[in-house]
């Protein structure tokens, strides 16, 4: 059986003090089975965004260790930054990549939340697929008013945390933990300067406009390129494969005689999302990801570790 | 810098004695940095085909250790099988996958050949991209007459080995070593029962028929499916991307109003060959394989080891 692989992108409220940033990141560099893809500290946001992948247990151990450092070193009472936040450890999303279902990832995030609360005494809210209350799927809703506002609001029953007393940690606030699907950012550039066409297609492709359930989209101008773009987030590539969104946009654009100039995958993408579209266009029957040499090698290496 | 990754598919002349097969395969299972994908022993062929990938040095060490076992245990004088062969270790092709050029892989195979000859005293012929004589690129040419025929023929200057005296090893014969590109087997099924259409397109798509330089192709009937197939070997997917062969076949088939029903990737395929075609159809600009989460993870794991 293939080992479980998850992604995790914890966000910490520190983007300025280099020593604190390095201390938070240290466990991610040292924990066996946890692979640090990237970490970006933004001074204006005063926020650190870490990108990890690996085995669930290793990821949890490393995030726990890093969170201890963050809770110890960050005081939300003096923290200022352009990005909304309510905790020293602001948000921890777990994302299934392979060998693990969303249900298992939800369970993982709930267990991690308990451990997090017990070890750090920071109240926890569960969000996205791990939300316990239906009104708490969205991060923005939970984080409304930020640290400063929630200090008082948390006493109201509708703002009580899912774990812990209705009282923020005196310096570390509260933390949002959950599970969500991998988000693929996919942009489609159109051979026109008419931004209204991109805006109209952006509306039609997205779920709120009657388009695909797993697509969020907007239209915008790429002025330096003399083109327009339909910029999308595909929030569940299993449900809405990339090629479907792309071909839908191509079809809509054809209405104005406009064609697709090129596309862009922004940031990381799981191989399944690429192979799925490749298999469609190449009309491959019964393609098995294990036929891909590098994926087979990855599996063998992970079994060995 | 990404670590070098090669594939190697050594062929041994033993497909019946289970203890010998296991003894040959043992080093592949034990050598760190060498990953055993698959091994298939065929009784009729009396031959063992092993599929490996990993770091060049680890692969070389493991193939050397396995070859020692094969040379010790196999006697070509009593060996019989349906598959042509001339050595206990019959052929060892090295294939670049990533982080290594064909030129480097040729050098690797030449160095390995020297070591192989010195340690085992078996004459060596270099083939494919590692051939030293231009008439020795093809395995069939070098292996002509097999073990029995070559025993005498080897004394003729045109059959002299590239390394060693013009004399076969008394029990292990001679070994063919070289470097070649990864071979992608890609089949295209057409919605017709007229096999002549597949045969005609097979001719047109292949290099010998004026088609693509890196494509070998034939047409055949798939009688149980009521379809015909253009079956291809793409011997250099960097030169002739899969999508080009596919779209060429689609265009030719349209001449008879025939369409592509489906395709098949047979066996293993390097991810680059898939991503290349995916990027074409999805019109992705500047796609970097490091954006693929699993490939990034593989790179980090290999750096760690």
């Amino acid at each position: 059986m293939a080992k479980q692989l998850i992604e995790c992108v914890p966000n910490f409220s520190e983007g300025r003090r280099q020593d604190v940033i390095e201390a938070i990141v240290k466990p991610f560099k040292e924990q066996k089975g946890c692979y640090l893809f990237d970490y970006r500290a933004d001074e204006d946001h005063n926020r650190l965004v870490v990108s990890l992948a690996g085995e669930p247990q290793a990821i949890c151990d490393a995030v726990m260790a890093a969170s201890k450092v963050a809770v110890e070193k960050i005081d939300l009472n003096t923290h200022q930054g352009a990005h909304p936040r309510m905790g020293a450890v602001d948000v921890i999303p777990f994302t299934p990549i392979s060998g693990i279902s969303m249900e298992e990832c939800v369970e993982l995030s709930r267990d991690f939340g308990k451990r997090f609360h017990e070890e750090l005494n920071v109240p926890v809210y569960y969000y996205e697929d791990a939300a316990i209350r239906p009104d708490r799927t969205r991060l923005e809703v939970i984080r409304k008013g930020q640290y400063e506002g929630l200090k008082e609001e948390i006493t109201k029953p509708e703002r009580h945390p899912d774990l812990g007393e209705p009282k923020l940690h005196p310096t570390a606030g509260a933390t949002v933990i959950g599970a969500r699907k991998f988000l693929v950012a996919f942009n489609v550039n159109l051979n026109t300067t008419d931004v209204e066409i991109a805006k109209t297609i952006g509306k039609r492709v997205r779920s709120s406009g009657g388009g695909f359930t797993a697509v969020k989209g907007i239209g915008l101008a790429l002025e330096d390129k003399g083109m327009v773009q339909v910029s999308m987030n595909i929030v569940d590539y299993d449900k809405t494969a990339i090629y479907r969104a792309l071909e839908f946009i191509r079809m809509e654009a054809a209405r104005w005689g406009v064609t697709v100039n090129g596309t862009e995958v922004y940031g990381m993408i799981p191989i399944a999302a690429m192979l799925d579209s490749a298999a469609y266009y190449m009309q491959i029957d019964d393609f098995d990801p294990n036929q891909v040499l590098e994926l087979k090698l990855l599996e063998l290496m992970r079994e060995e570790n």
Side-chain angles (χ1 to χ4, degrees), chain A:
Chain A
M1 205 196 70
K3 270 198 181 179
Q4 295 183 326
L5 177 62
I6 63 166
E7 194 216 20
C8 185
V9 185
N11 286 222
F12 303 91
S13 294
E14 179 58 67
R16 295 173 188 168
R17 293 175 297 167
Q18 212 51 47
D19 57 328
V20 176
I21 291 165
E22 288 305 321
I24 292 172
V25 168
K26 195 161 173 264
F28 302 129
K29 293 182 176 168
E30 292 178 351
Q31 173 70 51
K32 201 176 142 56
C34 166
Y35 295 88
L36 175 60
F37 281 179
D38 183 45
Y39 62 105
R40 286 171 202 225
D42 187 295
E43 292 202 6
D44 293 332
H45 287 183
N46 202 0
R47 193 177 182 83
L48 170 67
V49 179
V50 179
S51 187
L52 308 167
E55 294 166 53
Q57 192 54 52
I59 297 278
C60 287
D61 289 349
V63 174
M64 197 61 231
S67 297
K68 267 181 197 160
V69 175
V71 168
E72 208 170 281
K73 306 272 189 192
I74 299 169
D75 183 352
L76 267 286
N77 298 295
T78 57
H79 177 277
Q80 288 193 316
H83 198 288
R85 81 287 175 266
M86 60 187 248
V89 185
D90 200 48
V91 51
I92 307 174
F94 295 93
T95 297
I97 300 295
S98 67
I100 182 166
S101 67
M102 178 49 89
E103 291 66 36
E104 290 169 308
C105 224
V106 164
E107 201 179 331
L108 180 83
S109 70
R110 296 252 179 89
D111 288 346
F112 179 81
K114 280 178 206 142
R115 181 178 166 197
F116 183 93
H117 173 62
E118 279 164 22
E119 294 189 26
L120 300 175
N121 202 28
V122 171
V124 167
Y125 294 82
Y126 290 120
Y127 86 131
E128 290 279 353
D129 288 52
I132 286 169
R133 300 193 190 186
D135 56 327
R136 288 194 180 162
T137 53
R138 289 175 59 212
L139 179 60
E140 312 86 88
V141 172
I142 299 171
R143 203 164 53 191
K144 199 181 163 203
Q146 301 189 49
Y147 175 74
E148 291 75 9
L150 197 59
K151 242 184 197 171
E152 310 237 312
E153 292 271 311
I154 195 168
T155 56
K156 296 184 185 166
E158 71 270 23
R159 303 291 310 262
H160 281 186
D162 293 312
L163 296 179
E165 296 299 307
K167 189 174 176 301
L168 288 182
H169 183 284
T171 54
T175 297
V176 184
I177 295 172
R180 60 164 171 76
K181 295 265 186 174
F182 194 98
L183 189 150
V184 172
F186 189 70
N187 301 324
V188 178
N189 298 342
L190 301 176
N191 283 319
T192 178
T193 53
D194 185 351
V195 72
E196 287 309 316
I197 291 176
K199 285 184 176 174
T200 301
I201 297 176
K203 241 176 256 171
R204 289 178 186 172
V205 75
R206 70 189 179 219
S207 57
S208 64
F212 297 107
T213 45
V215 173
K216 296 178 181 183
I218 56 165
L220 47 92
L222 299 179
E223 274 162 27
D224 53 328
K225 290 193 174 172
M227 288 189 263
V228 299
Q229 181 177 84
V230 179
S231 178
M232 290 180 288
N233 276 332
I234 299 178
V235 298
D236 186 345
Y237 60 82
D238 281 330
K239 257 192 202 153
T240 305
I242 299 175
Y243 72 86
R244 276 184 222 139
L246 171 58
E247 293 307 317
F248 175 92
I249 291 169
R250 196 191 306 286
M251 175 193 73
E252 291 291 324
R255 154 73 184 77
W256 294 280
V258 170
T259 52
V260 172
N261 178 284
T263 71
E264 176 189 32
V265 173
Y266 188 81
M268 302 294 284
I269 185 166
I271 191 67
M274 289 298 292
L275 293 179
D276 207 23
S277 285
Y280 168 77
Y281 289 111
M282 296 166 78
Q283 297 178 250
I284 309 176
D285 299 322
D286 308 318
F287 188 71
D288 178 353
N290 259 323
Q291 291 179 255
V292 175
L293 191 138
E294 289 86 349
L295 296 182
K296 180 80 180 161
L297 180 63
L298 179 63
E299 196 190 296
L300 292 175
M301 288 187 73
R302 296 187 71 224
E303 276 170 14
E304 181 189 57
N305 276 4

